[in-house]
Amino acid sequence: MTAETTASDVWSFAVERRSDPASAEARAAILADPAFGQAFTDHMVVANWSVEQGWFDQKVTAYAPLRVSPAAAVLHYAQEIFEGLKAYRHADGSVWAFRPERNAARFAASAQRLALPQLPEGAFVAALRALVTADEPWVPSAADGETSLYLRPYMIATEAALSVRPSHEVLFGVIASPAGPYFDTGPRPVSIWLTTSTIRATPGGTGAAKCGGNYAASLAGLAEAVANGCEQVAFVEAVEHKWLEEIGSMNMFFVYADGRVVTPELSGSILAGVTRASVLELAAELGHPVEERQISADEWKDGVRSGEITEVFASGTAAVITPIGRLAWPEGDLTIGDHSVDHGVGPVTRQIRSALLDLQYGRVPDTRGWLTRLA
Ligand SMILES: *Cc1c(COP(=O)(O)O)cnc(C)c1O
């Protein structure tokens, strides 16, 4: 098969069920209190690609360590991309993904930027469906409202060759991990350290791609935040060190006293979150004028001081909507919002968060066609 004929194939997956799946008791114990990204399901998806063969050996198989050469390009040159989305169980037992075609499109764009091969159209969602079907009992029940099965597609350069060029061999995989609510006690405001000494992404760089290298580049900033008593870090852009970009691995939103909801415009070094796009649509429908524009760190500080900015939150698949309750930087420290009511979660943050979760868990009708059934 050539890469050309493979590209138009609809993927089907060989299913190699493991003979030693977790017992029902062991699985129930994990599902009762899943920590984020700690426990994994019985199976995983893998598929291989080479320049000569295109994609081959697509399968669902036992979750197990990969065999990769110590010379694999990914280990040295970080030729790697990934995605993150969730499978939500609805009250009738069915299992759904939220706008997975957006993750598929972003995965394709990330692959292009990192000089990795494209998956055939439809393979991304087919892979999610194959894994969720095999590990369906691992999708938490709808009863507790905010648990889900987190899905992690990824692609890595596996060729054992230290020459610097796009790898001739690649592995695509999907793993799955039961995920509880990000905050056991309901959402609570987190503290943010504003760093200007660490830059996450640069113009022309990989900031808009979902790749491991961006995360590696963000960790020193996160460590700086923790050393300064904060939980997360906010990054500004690389040129003027003035305009806000992202909070950790989440997009950021500002709520103004007049009801406006503002987020930094996609500059080329900001990751285009699926949650971000959905928040913009839902906020507008809820009657909030929305703005995508440049917003400076000074506007954030001044707005909080003057009372013009009343709420700040971050958005991303893993934590959904995370309220921001404090902003600190080398010369200052500000409290955001009224921490004496509703655990410090502002009304607009709460409203948008509920609207999103209600859609994802099928508690309101999916009038936009945002849900895709997986099982
Ligand atoms: C994944 C990611 C986000 C959030 O994207 P969602 O599609 O909403 O989960 C935001 N910023 C960065 C850097 C990311 O990698």
Side-chain angles (χ1 to χ4, degrees), residues 83-88 95-108 122-126 128-129 151 153 274 278 366 369-374:
E83 270 302 325
L85 69 168
K86 288 172 170 174
Y88 306 90
V95 180
W96 301 77
F98 182 71
R99 312 185 84 179
E101 64 287 347
R102 291 219 160 206
N103 298 89
R106 191 168 67 191
F107 199 61
F124 186 91
V125 173
L128 305 179
R129 193 169 277 132
L151 302 169
V274 178
S278 307
D366 173 28
W370 281 359
L371 298 179
T372 295
R373 186 158 183 184
L374 296 180

PDB file of all heavy atoms in Angstrom, residues 83-88 95-108 122-126 128-129 151 153 274 278 366 369-374:
ATOM      1  N   GLU A  83      -3.544  15.425  21.784  1.00  0.00           N
ATOM      2  CA  GLU A  83      -4.857  16.040  21.958  1.00  0.00           C
ATOM      3  C   GLU A  83      -5.409  15.656  23.314  1.00  0.00           C
ATOM      4  O   GLU A  83      -4.897  14.731  23.959  1.00  0.00           O
ATOM      5  CB  GLU A  83      -5.830  15.602  20.840  1.00  0.00           C
ATOM      6  CG  GLU A  83      -5.815  16.514  19.628  1.00  0.00           C
ATOM      7  CD  GLU A  83      -6.164  17.944  19.995  1.00  0.00           C
ATOM      8  OE1 GLU A  83      -6.999  18.174  20.895  1.00  0.00           O
ATOM      9  OE2 GLU A  83      -5.587  18.869  19.376  1.00  0.00           O
ATOM     10  N   GLY A  84      -6.449  16.337  23.742  1.00  0.00           N
ATOM     11  CA  GLY A  84      -7.112  15.980  24.991  1.00  0.00           C
ATOM     12  C   GLY A  84      -8.591  16.251  24.855  1.00  0.00           C
ATOM     13  O   GLY A  84      -8.981  17.369  24.495  1.00  0.00           O
ATOM     14  N   LEU A  85      -9.409  15.244  25.078  1.00  0.00           N
ATOM     15  CA  LEU A  85     -10.868  15.434  25.075  1.00  0.00           C
ATOM     16  C   LEU A  85     -11.476  14.372  25.969  1.00  0.00           C
ATOM     17  O   LEU A  85     -10.774  13.497  26.472  1.00  0.00           O
ATOM     18  CB  LEU A  85     -11.442  15.419  23.667  1.00  0.00           C
ATOM     19  CG  LEU A  85     -11.457  14.143  22.851  1.00  0.00           C
ATOM     20  CD1 LEU A  85     -12.351  14.361  21.611  1.00  0.00           C
ATOM     21  CD2 LEU A  85     -10.079  13.754  22.362  1.00  0.00           C
ATOM     22  N   LYS A  86     -12.776  14.494  26.209  1.00  0.00           N
ATOM     23  CA  LYS A  86     -13.409  13.598  27.171  1.00  0.00           C
ATOM     24  C   LYS A  86     -14.585  12.852  26.555  1.00  0.00           C
ATOM     25  O   LYS A  86     -15.248  13.366  25.656  1.00  0.00           O
ATOM     26  CB  LYS A  86     -13.927  14.397  28.374  1.00  0.00           C
ATOM     27  CG  LYS A  86     -12.826  14.928  29.291  1.00  0.00           C
ATOM     28  CD  LYS A  86     -13.429  15.866  30.334  1.00  0.00           C
ATOM     29  CE  LYS A  86     -12.418  16.212  31.417  1.00  0.00           C
ATOM     30  NZ  LYS A  86     -12.987  17.242  32.337  1.00  0.00           N
ATOM     31  N   ALA A  87     -14.841  11.653  27.086  1.00  0.00           N
ATOM     32  CA  ALA A  87     -16.067  10.911  26.776  1.00  0.00           C
ATOM     33  C   ALA A  87     -16.995  11.059  27.974  1.00  0.00           C
ATOM     34  O   ALA A  87     -16.601  10.786  29.111  1.00  0.00           O
ATOM     35  CB  ALA A  87     -15.746   9.443  26.518  1.00  0.00           C
ATOM     36  N   TYR A  88     -18.217  11.544  27.706  1.00  0.00           N
ATOM     37  CA  TYR A  88     -19.179  11.833  28.771  1.00  0.00           C
ATOM     38  C   TYR A  88     -20.318  10.821  28.707  1.00  0.00           C
ATOM     39  O   TYR A  88     -20.901  10.606  27.631  1.00  0.00           O
ATOM     40  CB  TYR A  88     -19.785  13.230  28.575  1.00  0.00           C
ATOM     41  CG  TYR A  88     -18.768  14.329  28.435  1.00  0.00           C
ATOM     42  CD1 TYR A  88     -18.277  14.689  27.178  1.00  0.00           C
ATOM     43  CD2 TYR A  88     -18.305  15.017  29.558  1.00  0.00           C
ATOM     44  CE1 TYR A  88     -17.347  15.708  27.044  1.00  0.00           C
ATOM     45  CE2 TYR A  88     -17.372  16.036  29.426  1.00  0.00           C
ATOM     46  CZ  TYR A  88     -16.896  16.376  28.166  1.00  0.00           C
ATOM     47  OH  TYR A  88     -15.975  17.378  28.032  1.00  0.00           O
ATOM     48  N   VAL A  95     -22.617   7.197  25.439  1.00  0.00           N
ATOM     49  CA  VAL A  95     -21.336   7.876  25.683  1.00  0.00           C
ATOM     50  C   VAL A  95     -21.025   8.800  24.512  1.00  0.00           C
ATOM     51  O   VAL A  95     -21.094   8.375  23.352  1.00  0.00           O
ATOM     52  CB  VAL A  95     -20.199   6.847  25.872  1.00  0.00           C
ATOM     53  CG1 VAL A  95     -18.871   7.555  26.126  1.00  0.00           C
ATOM     54  CG2 VAL A  95     -20.520   5.896  27.023  1.00  0.00           C
ATOM     55  N   TRP A  96     -20.648  10.027  24.803  1.00  0.00           N
ATOM     56  CA  TRP A  96     -20.519  11.059  23.779  1.00  0.00           C
ATOM     57  C   TRP A  96     -19.210  11.838  23.903  1.00  0.00           C
ATOM     58  O   TRP A  96     -18.683  12.004  24.995  1.00  0.00           O
ATOM     59  CB  TRP A  96     -21.693  12.051  23.915  1.00  0.00           C
ATOM     60  CG  TRP A  96     -23.036  11.408  23.778  1.00  0.00           C
ATOM     61  CD1 TRP A  96     -23.684  10.652  24.729  1.00  0.00           C
ATOM     62  CD2 TRP A  96     -23.887  11.416  22.623  1.00  0.00           C
ATOM     63  NE1 TRP A  96     -24.884  10.208  24.238  1.00  0.00           N
ATOM     64  CE2 TRP A  96     -25.043  10.664  22.952  1.00  0.00           C
ATOM     65  CE3 TRP A  96     -23.788  12.002  21.357  1.00  0.00           C
ATOM     66  CZ2 TRP A  96     -26.088  10.483  22.052  1.00  0.00           C
ATOM     67  CZ3 TRP A  96     -24.831  11.822  20.461  1.00  0.00           C
ATOM     68  CH2 TRP A  96     -25.967  11.063  20.813  1.00  0.00           C
ATOM     69  N   ALA A  97     -18.747  12.330  22.762  1.00  0.00           N
ATOM     70  CA  ALA A  97     -17.620  13.268  22.743  1.00  0.00           C
ATOM     71  C   ALA A  97     -18.152  14.648  22.380  1.00  0.00           C
ATOM     72  O   ALA A  97     -19.174  14.772  21.693  1.00  0.00           O
ATOM     73  CB  ALA A  97     -16.582  12.833  21.717  1.00  0.00           C
ATOM     74  N   PHE A  98     -17.463  15.683  22.847  1.00  0.00           N
ATOM     75  CA  PHE A  98     -17.866  17.060  22.632  1.00  0.00           C
ATOM     76  C   PHE A  98     -17.000  17.680  21.535  1.00  0.00           C
ATOM     77  O   PHE A  98     -15.797  17.829  21.707  1.00  0.00           O
ATOM     78  CB  PHE A  98     -17.693  17.830  23.954  1.00  0.00           C
ATOM     79  CG  PHE A  98     -18.120  19.265  23.907  1.00  0.00           C
ATOM     80  CD1 PHE A  98     -19.464  19.603  23.833  1.00  0.00           C
ATOM     81  CD2 PHE A  98     -17.168  20.287  23.949  1.00  0.00           C
ATOM     82  CE1 PHE A  98     -19.856  20.931  23.801  1.00  0.00           C
ATOM     83  CE2 PHE A  98     -17.564  21.614  23.921  1.00  0.00           C
ATOM     84  CZ  PHE A  98     -18.909  21.937  23.844  1.00  0.00           C
ATOM     85  N   ARG A  99     -17.596  17.962  20.402  1.00  0.00           N
ATOM     86  CA  ARG A  99     -16.930  18.601  19.270  1.00  0.00           C
ATOM     87  C   ARG A  99     -15.598  17.934  18.882  1.00  0.00           C
ATOM     88  O   ARG A  99     -14.572  18.617  18.686  1.00  0.00           O
ATOM     89  CB  ARG A  99     -16.719  20.094  19.563  1.00  0.00           C
ATOM     90  CG  ARG A  99     -17.975  20.784  20.097  1.00  0.00           C
ATOM     91  CD  ARG A  99     -17.806  22.277  20.263  1.00  0.00           C
ATOM     92  NE  ARG A  99     -18.034  22.984  19.013  1.00  0.00           N
ATOM     93  CZ  ARG A  99     -17.963  24.309  18.877  1.00  0.00           C
ATOM     94  NH1 ARG A  99     -17.638  25.060  19.911  1.00  0.00           N
ATOM     95  NH2 ARG A  99     -18.192  24.879  17.732  1.00  0.00           N
ATOM     96  N   PRO A 100     -15.576  16.594  18.772  1.00  0.00           N
ATOM     97  CA  PRO A 100     -14.296  15.914  18.513  1.00  0.00           C
ATOM     98  C   PRO A 100     -13.706  16.257  17.159  1.00  0.00           C
ATOM     99  O   PRO A 100     -12.499  16.131  16.953  1.00  0.00           O
ATOM    100  CB  PRO A 100     -14.659  14.425  18.591  1.00  0.00           C
ATOM    101  CG  PRO A 100     -16.110  14.376  18.230  1.00  0.00           C
ATOM    102  CD  PRO A 100     -16.708  15.639  18.813  1.00  0.00           C
ATOM    103  N   GLU A 101     -14.568  16.694  16.213  1.00  0.00           N
ATOM    104  CA  GLU A 101     -14.041  17.075  14.895  1.00  0.00           C
ATOM    105  C   GLU A 101     -13.108  18.279  15.020  1.00  0.00           C
ATOM    106  O   GLU A 101     -12.192  18.447  14.221  1.00  0.00           O
ATOM    107  CB  GLU A 101     -15.192  17.342  13.907  1.00  0.00           C
ATOM    108  CG  GLU A 101     -16.101  18.515  14.228  1.00  0.00           C
ATOM    109  CD  GLU A 101     -17.059  18.274  15.409  1.00  0.00           C
ATOM    110  OE1 GLU A 101     -17.224  17.109  15.853  1.00  0.00           O
ATOM    111  OE2 GLU A 101     -17.630  19.258  15.906  1.00  0.00           O
ATOM    112  N   ARG A 102     -13.321  19.096  16.053  1.00  0.00           N
ATOM    113  CA  ARG A 102     -12.395  20.221  16.295  1.00  0.00           C
ATOM    114  C   ARG A 102     -11.034  19.724  16.773  1.00  0.00           C
ATOM    115  O   ARG A 102      -9.992  20.265  16.393  1.00  0.00           O
ATOM    116  CB  ARG A 102     -12.977  21.165  17.346  1.00  0.00           C
ATOM    117  CG  ARG A 102     -14.185  21.911  16.844  1.00  0.00           C
ATOM    118  CD  ARG A 102     -14.160  23.334  17.357  1.00  0.00           C
ATOM    119  NE  ARG A 102     -15.012  24.155  16.531  1.00  0.00           N
ATOM    120  CZ  ARG A 102     -14.869  25.458  16.356  1.00  0.00           C
ATOM    121  NH1 ARG A 102     -13.881  26.103  16.963  1.00  0.00           N
ATOM    122  NH2 ARG A 102     -15.668  26.131  15.589  1.00  0.00           N
ATOM    123  N   ASN A 103     -11.054  18.717  17.640  1.00  0.00           N
ATOM    124  CA  ASN A 103      -9.777  18.141  18.081  1.00  0.00           C
ATOM    125  C   ASN A 103      -9.074  17.470  16.907  1.00  0.00           C
ATOM    126  O   ASN A 103      -7.848  17.555  16.789  1.00  0.00           O
ATOM    127  CB  ASN A 103     -10.018  17.128  19.199  1.00  0.00           C
ATOM    128  CG  ASN A 103     -10.632  17.760  20.422  1.00  0.00           C
ATOM    129  OD1 ASN A 103     -11.859  17.841  20.528  1.00  0.00           O
ATOM    130  ND2 ASN A 103      -9.817  18.259  21.323  1.00  0.00           N
ATOM    131  N   ALA A 104      -9.868  16.807  16.036  1.00  0.00           N
ATOM    132  CA  ALA A 104      -9.276  16.143  14.865  1.00  0.00           C
ATOM    133  C   ALA A 104      -8.616  17.175  13.949  1.00  0.00           C
ATOM    134  O   ALA A 104      -7.491  16.979  13.473  1.00  0.00           O
ATOM    135  CB  ALA A 104     -10.350  15.368  14.107  1.00  0.00           C
ATOM    136  N   ALA A 105      -9.303  18.301  13.748  1.00  0.00           N
ATOM    137  CA  ALA A 105      -8.744  19.343  12.872  1.00  0.00           C
ATOM    138  C   ALA A 105      -7.493  19.958  13.495  1.00  0.00           C
ATOM    139  O   ALA A 105      -6.510  20.244  12.803  1.00  0.00           O
ATOM    140  CB  ALA A 105      -9.807  20.418  12.619  1.00  0.00           C
ATOM    141  N   ARG A 106      -7.541  20.141  14.811  1.00  0.00           N
ATOM    142  CA  ARG A 106      -6.368  20.721  15.486  1.00  0.00           C
ATOM    143  C   ARG A 106      -5.200  19.740  15.449  1.00  0.00           C
ATOM    144  O   ARG A 106      -4.040  20.147  15.293  1.00  0.00           O
ATOM    145  CB  ARG A 106      -6.747  21.084  16.922  1.00  0.00           C
ATOM    146  CG  ARG A 106      -5.709  21.923  17.633  1.00  0.00           C
ATOM    147  CD  ARG A 106      -6.263  22.489  18.924  1.00  0.00           C
ATOM    148  NE  ARG A 106      -6.532  21.466  19.918  1.00  0.00           N
ATOM    149  CZ  ARG A 106      -7.215  21.672  21.047  1.00  0.00           C
ATOM    150  NH1 ARG A 106      -7.695  22.876  21.328  1.00  0.00           N
ATOM    151  NH2 ARG A 106      -7.413  20.703  21.898  1.00  0.00           N
ATOM    152  N   PHE A 107      -5.499  18.450  15.588  1.00  0.00           N
ATOM    153  CA  PHE A 107      -4.454  17.423  15.520  1.00  0.00           C
ATOM    154  C   PHE A 107      -3.796  17.459  14.143  1.00  0.00           C
ATOM    155  O   PHE A 107      -2.575  17.361  14.016  1.00  0.00           O
ATOM    156  CB  PHE A 107      -5.089  16.056  15.781  1.00  0.00           C
ATOM    157  CG  PHE A 107      -4.130  14.966  16.175  1.00  0.00           C
ATOM    158  CD1 PHE A 107      -3.356  15.073  17.320  1.00  0.00           C
ATOM    159  CD2 PHE A 107      -4.021  13.804  15.414  1.00  0.00           C
ATOM    160  CE1 PHE A 107      -2.493  14.048  17.705  1.00  0.00           C
ATOM    161  CE2 PHE A 107      -3.162  12.776  15.786  1.00  0.00           C
ATOM    162  CZ  PHE A 107      -2.401  12.903  16.935  1.00  0.00           C
ATOM    163  N   ALA A 108      -4.616  17.633  13.108  1.00  0.00           N
ATOM    164  CA  ALA A 108      -4.084  17.703  11.740  1.00  0.00           C
ATOM    165  C   ALA A 108      -3.190  18.931  11.579  1.00  0.00           C
ATOM    166  O   ALA A 108      -2.115  18.865  10.977  1.00  0.00           O
ATOM    167  CB  ALA A 108      -5.237  17.737  10.744  1.00  0.00           C
ATOM    168  N   GLY A 122     -11.373  10.989   9.296  1.00  0.00           N
ATOM    169  CA  GLY A 122     -12.242  10.057  10.006  1.00  0.00           C
ATOM    170  C   GLY A 122     -11.493   9.108  10.941  1.00  0.00           C
ATOM    171  O   GLY A 122     -12.108   8.500  11.817  1.00  0.00           O
ATOM    172  N   ALA A 123     -10.165   8.987  10.764  1.00  0.00           N
ATOM    173  CA  ALA A 123      -9.422   8.034  11.595  1.00  0.00           C
ATOM    174  C   ALA A 123      -9.387   8.474  13.059  1.00  0.00           C
ATOM    175  O   ALA A 123      -9.427   7.645  13.971  1.00  0.00           O
ATOM    176  CB  ALA A 123      -8.003   7.875  11.067  1.00  0.00           C
ATOM    177  N   PHE A 124      -9.344   9.777  13.270  1.00  0.00           N
ATOM    178  CA  PHE A 124      -9.240  10.301  14.641  1.00  0.00           C
ATOM    179  C   PHE A 124     -10.461   9.883  15.462  1.00  0.00           C
ATOM    180  O   PHE A 124     -10.337   9.260  16.520  1.00  0.00           O
ATOM    181  CB  PHE A 124      -9.108  11.830  14.575  1.00  0.00           C
ATOM    182  CG  PHE A 124      -8.847  12.511  15.887  1.00  0.00           C
ATOM    183  CD1 PHE A 124      -7.553  12.738  16.329  1.00  0.00           C
ATOM    184  CD2 PHE A 124      -9.903  12.960  16.673  1.00  0.00           C
ATOM    185  CE1 PHE A 124      -7.316  13.380  17.530  1.00  0.00           C
ATOM    186  CE2 PHE A 124      -9.677  13.611  17.877  1.00  0.00           C
ATOM    187  CZ  PHE A 124      -8.378  13.819  18.302  1.00  0.00           C
ATOM    188  N   VAL A 125     -11.647  10.199  14.948  1.00  0.00           N
ATOM    189  CA  VAL A 125     -12.872   9.856  15.686  1.00  0.00           C
ATOM    190  C   VAL A 125     -13.071   8.344  15.711  1.00  0.00           C
ATOM    191  O   VAL A 125     -13.512   7.782  16.711  1.00  0.00           O
ATOM    192  CB  VAL A 125     -14.096  10.599  15.104  1.00  0.00           C
ATOM    193  CG1 VAL A 125     -15.388  10.120  15.760  1.00  0.00           C
ATOM    194  CG2 VAL A 125     -13.936  12.109  15.313  1.00  0.00           C
ATOM    195  N   ALA A 126     -12.684   7.657  14.617  1.00  0.00           N
ATOM    196  CA  ALA A 126     -12.795   6.187  14.597  1.00  0.00           C
ATOM    197  C   ALA A 126     -11.935   5.571  15.698  1.00  0.00           C
ATOM    198  O   ALA A 126     -12.330   4.585  16.332  1.00  0.00           O
ATOM    199  CB  ALA A 126     -12.388   5.652  13.227  1.00  0.00           C
ATOM    200  N   LEU A 128     -11.083   6.997  18.586  1.00  0.00           N
ATOM    201  CA  LEU A 128     -11.741   7.260  19.875  1.00  0.00           C
ATOM    202  C   LEU A 128     -12.864   6.254  20.095  1.00  0.00           C
ATOM    203  O   LEU A 128     -13.022   5.690  21.178  1.00  0.00           O
ATOM    204  CB  LEU A 128     -12.330   8.670  19.911  1.00  0.00           C
ATOM    205  CG  LEU A 128     -11.401   9.850  19.624  1.00  0.00           C
ATOM    206  CD1 LEU A 128     -12.201  11.146  19.686  1.00  0.00           C
ATOM    207  CD2 LEU A 128     -10.244   9.880  20.608  1.00  0.00           C
ATOM    208  N   ARG A 129     -13.650   6.044  19.028  1.00  0.00           N
ATOM    209  CA  ARG A 129     -14.812   5.159  19.137  1.00  0.00           C
ATOM    210  C   ARG A 129     -14.358   3.715  19.404  1.00  0.00           C
ATOM    211  O   ARG A 129     -14.939   3.009  20.216  1.00  0.00           O
ATOM    212  CB  ARG A 129     -15.626   5.253  17.843  1.00  0.00           C
ATOM    213  CG  ARG A 129     -16.989   4.638  17.928  1.00  0.00           C
ATOM    214  CD  ARG A 129     -17.825   4.998  16.704  1.00  0.00           C
ATOM    215  NE  ARG A 129     -18.463   6.288  16.813  1.00  0.00           N
ATOM    216  CZ  ARG A 129     -18.455   7.230  15.876  1.00  0.00           C
ATOM    217  NH1 ARG A 129     -17.826   7.026  14.730  1.00  0.00           N
ATOM    218  NH2 ARG A 129     -19.074   8.364  16.068  1.00  0.00           N
ATOM    219  N   LEU A 151      -9.599  11.251  27.172  1.00  0.00           N
ATOM    220  CA  LEU A 151      -8.985  10.569  26.036  1.00  0.00           C
ATOM    221  C   LEU A 151      -7.754  11.356  25.587  1.00  0.00           C
ATOM    222  O   LEU A 151      -7.821  12.576  25.419  1.00  0.00           O
ATOM    223  CB  LEU A 151      -9.981  10.460  24.882  1.00  0.00           C
ATOM    224  CG  LEU A 151     -11.285   9.723  25.230  1.00  0.00           C
ATOM    225  CD1 LEU A 151     -12.315   9.913  24.113  1.00  0.00           C
ATOM    226  CD2 LEU A 151     -11.023   8.245  25.470  1.00  0.00           C
ATOM    227  N   PRO A 153      -5.206  11.233  22.584  1.00  0.00           N
ATOM    228  CA  PRO A 153      -4.539  10.847  21.341  1.00  0.00           C
ATOM    229  C   PRO A 153      -3.151  11.506  21.276  1.00  0.00           C
ATOM    230  O   PRO A 153      -2.963  12.617  21.797  1.00  0.00           O
ATOM    231  CB  PRO A 153      -5.464  11.430  20.251  1.00  0.00           C
ATOM    232  CG  PRO A 153      -6.737  11.802  20.960  1.00  0.00           C
ATOM    233  CD  PRO A 153      -6.333  12.135  22.356  1.00  0.00           C
ATOM    234  N   VAL A 274     -10.900  24.321  22.214  1.00  0.00           N
ATOM    235  CA  VAL A 274     -12.282  23.981  21.878  1.00  0.00           C
ATOM    236  C   VAL A 274     -13.201  24.571  22.949  1.00  0.00           C
ATOM    237  O   VAL A 274     -14.283  25.079  22.649  1.00  0.00           O
ATOM    238  CB  VAL A 274     -12.449  22.445  21.791  1.00  0.00           C
ATOM    239  CG1 VAL A 274     -13.899  22.078  21.496  1.00  0.00           C
ATOM    240  CG2 VAL A 274     -11.513  21.870  20.739  1.00  0.00           C
ATOM    241  N   SER A 278     -16.181  27.406  22.478  1.00  0.00           N
ATOM    242  CA  SER A 278     -17.520  27.097  22.967  1.00  0.00           C
ATOM    243  C   SER A 278     -17.981  28.142  23.977  1.00  0.00           C
ATOM    244  O   SER A 278     -19.149  28.546  23.984  1.00  0.00           O
ATOM    245  CB  SER A 278     -17.535  25.696  23.592  1.00  0.00           C
ATOM    246  OG  SER A 278     -17.011  24.753  22.680  1.00  0.00           O
ATOM    247  N   ASP A 366     -28.955  19.152  22.546  1.00  0.00           N
ATOM    248  CA  ASP A 366     -27.782  19.540  21.751  1.00  0.00           C
ATOM    249  C   ASP A 366     -28.259  20.184  20.453  1.00  0.00           C
ATOM    250  O   ASP A 366     -28.239  19.568  19.397  1.00  0.00           O
ATOM    251  CB  ASP A 366     -26.935  18.290  21.476  1.00  0.00           C
ATOM    252  CG  ASP A 366     -25.788  18.567  20.522  1.00  0.00           C
ATOM    253  OD1 ASP A 366     -25.307  19.723  20.492  1.00  0.00           O
ATOM    254  OD2 ASP A 366     -25.375  17.640  19.810  1.00  0.00           O
ATOM    255  N   GLY A 369     -25.487  20.524  17.423  1.00  0.00           N
ATOM    256  CA  GLY A 369     -24.765  19.388  16.836  1.00  0.00           C
ATOM    257  C   GLY A 369     -23.334  19.310  17.342  1.00  0.00           C
ATOM    258  O   GLY A 369     -22.414  18.960  16.599  1.00  0.00           O
ATOM    259  N   TRP A 370     -23.131  19.607  18.611  1.00  0.00           N
ATOM    260  CA  TRP A 370     -21.782  19.592  19.190  1.00  0.00           C
ATOM    261  C   TRP A 370     -21.376  18.224  19.720  1.00  0.00           C
ATOM    262  O   TRP A 370     -20.228  18.003  20.066  1.00  0.00           O
ATOM    263  CB  TRP A 370     -21.673  20.642  20.318  1.00  0.00           C
ATOM    264  CG  TRP A 370     -21.488  22.037  19.794  1.00  0.00           C
ATOM    265  CD1 TRP A 370     -21.398  22.414  18.483  1.00  0.00           C
ATOM    266  CD2 TRP A 370     -21.362  23.239  20.566  1.00  0.00           C
ATOM    267  NE1 TRP A 370     -21.210  23.779  18.400  1.00  0.00           N
ATOM    268  CE2 TRP A 370     -21.184  24.301  19.655  1.00  0.00           C
ATOM    269  CE3 TRP A 370     -21.367  23.522  21.930  1.00  0.00           C
ATOM    270  CZ2 TRP A 370     -21.025  25.634  20.067  1.00  0.00           C
ATOM    271  CZ3 TRP A 370     -21.207  24.839  22.343  1.00  0.00           C
ATOM    272  CH2 TRP A 370     -21.042  25.884  21.416  1.00  0.00           C
ATOM    273  N   LEU A 371     -22.337  17.293  19.819  1.00  0.00           N
ATOM    274  CA  LEU A 371     -22.024  15.990  20.416  1.00  0.00           C
ATOM    275  C   LEU A 371     -21.930  14.910  19.346  1.00  0.00           C
ATOM    276  O   LEU A 371     -22.707  14.908  18.391  1.00  0.00           O
ATOM    277  CB  LEU A 371     -23.099  15.609  21.444  1.00  0.00           C
ATOM    278  CG  LEU A 371     -23.229  16.549  22.646  1.00  0.00           C
ATOM    279  CD1 LEU A 371     -24.352  16.062  23.558  1.00  0.00           C
ATOM    280  CD2 LEU A 371     -21.934  16.656  23.435  1.00  0.00           C
ATOM    281  N   THR A 372     -20.974  14.000  19.516  1.00  0.00           N
ATOM    282  CA  THR A 372     -20.799  12.853  18.635  1.00  0.00           C
ATOM    283  C   THR A 372     -20.846  11.595  19.491  1.00  0.00           C
ATOM    284  O   THR A 372     -20.109  11.486  20.482  1.00  0.00           O
ATOM    285  CB  THR A 372     -19.431  12.935  17.910  1.00  0.00           C
ATOM    286  OG1 THR A 372     -19.440  14.073  17.053  1.00  0.00           O
ATOM    287  CG2 THR A 372     -19.168  11.681  17.081  1.00  0.00           C
ATOM    288  N   ARG A 373     -21.697  10.664  19.108  1.00  0.00           N
ATOM    289  CA  ARG A 373     -21.826   9.452  19.926  1.00  0.00           C
ATOM    290  C   ARG A 373     -20.626   8.528  19.722  1.00  0.00           C
ATOM    291  O   ARG A 373     -20.231   8.259  18.580  1.00  0.00           O
ATOM    292  CB  ARG A 373     -23.125   8.713  19.582  1.00  0.00           C
ATOM    293  CG  ARG A 373     -23.355   7.553  20.510  1.00  0.00           C
ATOM    294  CD  ARG A 373     -24.778   7.123  20.598  1.00  0.00           C
ATOM    295  NE  ARG A 373     -24.860   6.046  21.583  1.00  0.00           N
ATOM    296  CZ  ARG A 373     -25.950   5.379  21.857  1.00  0.00           C
ATOM    297  NH1 ARG A 373     -27.080   5.662  21.238  1.00  0.00           N
ATOM    298  NH2 ARG A 373     -25.932   4.419  22.760  1.00  0.00           N
ATOM    299  N   LEU A 374     -20.065   8.052  20.827  1.00  0.00           N
ATOM    300  CA  LEU A 374     -18.925   7.128  20.759  1.00  0.00           C
ATOM    301  C   LEU A 374     -19.330   5.702  21.109  1.00  0.00           C
ATOM    302  O   LEU A 374     -18.744   4.742  20.612  1.00  0.00           O
ATOM    303  CB  LEU A 374     -17.811   7.581  21.718  1.00  0.00           C
ATOM    304  CG  LEU A 374     -17.147   8.926  21.415  1.00  0.00           C
ATOM    305  CD1 LEU A 374     -16.062   9.221  22.451  1.00  0.00           C
ATOM    306  CD2 LEU A 374     -16.552   8.972  20.014  1.00  0.00           C
TER     307      LEU A 374
END
